[in-house]
Amino acid sequence: MFKSSFQFLKKDKAAVKILIMQLLFTFIEALPLVCILSSAMGLGIYLLGYNFLLSFGQADLIYSLQVIIITQELGVLLVAFIVTARSATAIATELASIVVTHQVESYISIGINPIHHLAVPRFLGVTLSVVFLNLYFSLCGLFGPMLISHIIGQVSASDYLAGLLKTLSLRIIGVSILKSVLFGMTISLVATYYGFSVELASTEIPVAGLRAVSKSISGIIIIDIVIIALGLIFP
């Protein structure tokens, strides 16, 4: 799959179009939902957390709380679940339909590698989309509350930005990007696997979609637990 990912970009222009369409569906069309969800989460964490921590004289810890929850932990998980719900089902059912209607044999008969043409653009599209959506989620979730805090007079925009950038480390950003890459790869690989695993019955198509979603969520949770455990072992 990884070797094919680089080969198809040079040889298969039709697959590049599929990649663009996958990015359009998985990334672009999910931006409004991600923006609303991340902004609401960031604002809720900030407003509730700031007042709570202020009562203990530890208001500056709100930035660490935001960064850990939004960027490192919960944000990337929510993005992965959104992509799983929207794209894993779509990819698995679409590929299953192609298999059931014998289109794979048609591709092979005219010399087109079905992995290059069908699987690789979806693999790259979903993986890149999870990474981009994760970065977008962090931007909206972290910098969205800055405007509200400035309007209500809690913290000035400059102080908010300074506290946030002081807390946001390269390690946290790196862990977040690593998770998004692994989550995206997991979603795309599981969805394509179950899409191609059907045989000839049309009743297998919805089953493939359900299995893709459930197995993707399980894989995401396992990967997240492993990364958290490694972070505790190697702080």
Side-chain angles (χ1 to χ4, degrees):
M1 180 70 77
F2 301 101
K3 183 179 180 181
S4 301
S5 299
F6 297 99
Q7 291 178 345
F8 102 101
L9 289 172
K10 298 180 180 180
K11 298 180 180 180
D12 197 339
K13 293 183 179 179
V16 174
K17 293 182 180 179
I18 297 176
L19 170 60
I20 294 173
M21 294 303 296
Q22 187 66 57
L23 287 171
L24 175 65
F25 173 73
T26 307
F27 173 52
I28 301 298
E29 293 185 3
L31 288 177
L33 174 62
V34 170
C35 179
I36 293 172
L37 182 62
S38 60
S39 299
M41 177 183 294
L43 186 59
I45 292 172
Y46 180 79
L47 293 178
L48 296 175
Y50 183 84
N51 292 327
F52 178 75
L53 292 172
L54 185 63
S55 63
F56 293 97
Q58 300 292 331
D60 289 342
L61 292 178
I62 186 61
Y63 305 112
S64 298
L65 185 66
Q66 284 182 288
V67 167
I68 292 173
I69 294 177
I70 295 175
T71 301
Q72 184 172 325
E73 299 299 337
L74 192 56
V76 64
L77 269 178
L78 287 177
V79 166
F81 290 156
I82 291 172
V83 173
T84 299
R86 297 183 74 252
S87 296
T89 306
I91 292 173
T93 53
E94 182 183 11
L95 293 178
S97 299
I98 291 174
V99 173
V100 169
T101 55
H102 303 285
Q103 294 182 47
V104 173
E105 290 86 342
S106 300
Y107 284 121
I108 296 174
S109 66
I110 59 176
I112 296 178
N113 188 327
I115 299 298
H116 288 182
H117 188 75
L118 299 174
V120 171
R122 290 168 174 82
F123 170 78
L124 290 177
V126 170
T127 303
L128 292 174
S129 294
V130 174
V131 174
F132 295 152
L133 285 173
N134 178 44
L135 295 175
Y136 183 70
F137 190 103
S138 293
L139 286 175
C140 293
L142 293 177
F143 294 99
M146 178 175 64
L147 178 62
I148 304 300
S149 66
H150 182 73
I151 292 175
I152 64 178
Q154 272 190 337
V155 179
S156 66
S158 59
D159 290 341
Y160 180 97
L161 187 61
L164 192 62
L165 294 178
K166 183 179 179 181
T167 306
L168 196 61
S169 66
L170 291 176
R171 176 187 173 90
I172 292 175
I173 296 173
V175 170
S176 179
I177 293 176
L178 175 63
K179 285 185 178 183
S180 63
V181 170
L182 294 178
F183 292 167
M185 291 170 60
T186 300
I187 296 167
S188 55
L189 288 174
V190 170
T192 52
Y193 171 78
Y194 282 102
F196 281 125
S197 65
V198 300
E199 296 182 358
L200 299 177
S202 59
T203 54
E204 295 182 83
I205 296 175
V207 176
L210 292 173
R211 287 178 177 173
V213 171
S214 61
K215 299 300 182 183
S216 294
I217 292 176
S218 299
I220 288 168
I221 293 173
I222 292 172
I223 291 172
D224 190 51
I225 292 173
V226 170
I227 293 176
I228 291 174
L230 290 175
L232 295 174
I233 297 173
F234 304 103

